[in-house]
Amino acid sequence: MYRSSRYSYWETTLKTVISIAVLSITLITGCATEFQQGRNFDMNRASTFQRGKTTRQEIVAALGEPTSSGRNSDASYIEYQHETVKVDAIAQATSLFRSTNSMGDSRLKVCRFWFDSRNVLKEYNCADGLPNYQSLGK
């Protein structure tokens, strides 16, 4: 009798541990968070703009208000930037045990449009998926 009650205790404990593990995994896999920064825009529209022809106003009308703008000595620019970061709860939980510190997927889209003094498109650069936009050149 003593022996069967002891097995019953271990069976109950094992069932409880397995239930908690399954519940935890179910909750963790359902917990992914997405962060967005900047203004989303259709990067494919950039290929329809013509250097020497398209104006700043036409680009803003097509893509919306830019994320930023600026000027250097011979040209002005507007820039569109949108970043989406999907953080995976499992990646967060296991990041302590991995050599990389990635906790999800990241996507960065950037387009920068340069204009002459008449606000006509002079040059543009677009990139999709770069870890940062500082590698873009004029």
Side-chain angles (χ1 to χ4, degrees):
M1 178 90 171
Y2 178 76
R3 186 174 183 126
S4 66
S5 65
R6 192 157 112 193
Y7 285 129
S8 176
Y9 168 78
W10 286 111
E11 286 175 354
T12 304
T13 303
L14 184 59
K15 286 179 184 178
T16 303
V17 168
I18 290 172
S19 297
I20 290 172
V22 167
L23 179 62
S24 298
I25 290 170
T26 302
L27 290 174
I28 288 174
T29 57
C31 297
T33 306
E34 181 174 294
F35 300 99
Q36 294 192 24
Q37 180 178 351
R39 179 185 301 269
N40 201 359
F41 63 97
D42 183 3
M43 198 166 79
N44 296 324
R45 303 265 328 252
S47 63
T48 65
F49 304 140
Q50 297 177 353
R51 291 174 180 89
K53 241 179 167 185
T54 306
T55 66
R56 179 184 188 125
Q57 293 76 15
E58 291 171 325
I59 292 174
V60 171
L63 299 179
E65 287 300 314
T67 308
S68 64
S69 62
R71 171 169 215 77
N72 67 15
S73 60
D74 65 337
S76 64
Y77 71 87
I78 57 176
E79 182 174 271
Y80 293 85
Q81 181 176 342
H82 184 256
E83 182 175 20
T84 304
V85 179
K86 293 179 183 175
V87 180
D88 183 353
I90 290 178
Q92 282 181 330
T94 60
S95 66
L96 297 172
F97 308 108
R98 291 182 283 130
S99 60
T100 62
N101 59 3
S102 173
M103 292 193 292
D105 294 325
S106 177
R107 180 179 181 208
L108 177 65
K109 298 189 302 184
V110 178
C111 281
R112 184 176 282 184
F113 301 93
W114 293 91
F115 302 95
D116 63 19
S117 60
R118 300 173 297 127
N119 278 329
V120 175
L121 183 62
K122 185 176 177 179
E123 185 63 54
Y124 72 91
N125 299 94
C126 292
D128 187 6
L130 292 175
N132 63 49
Y133 68 92
Q134 292 161 341
S135 61
L136 293 176
K138 180 178 157 192

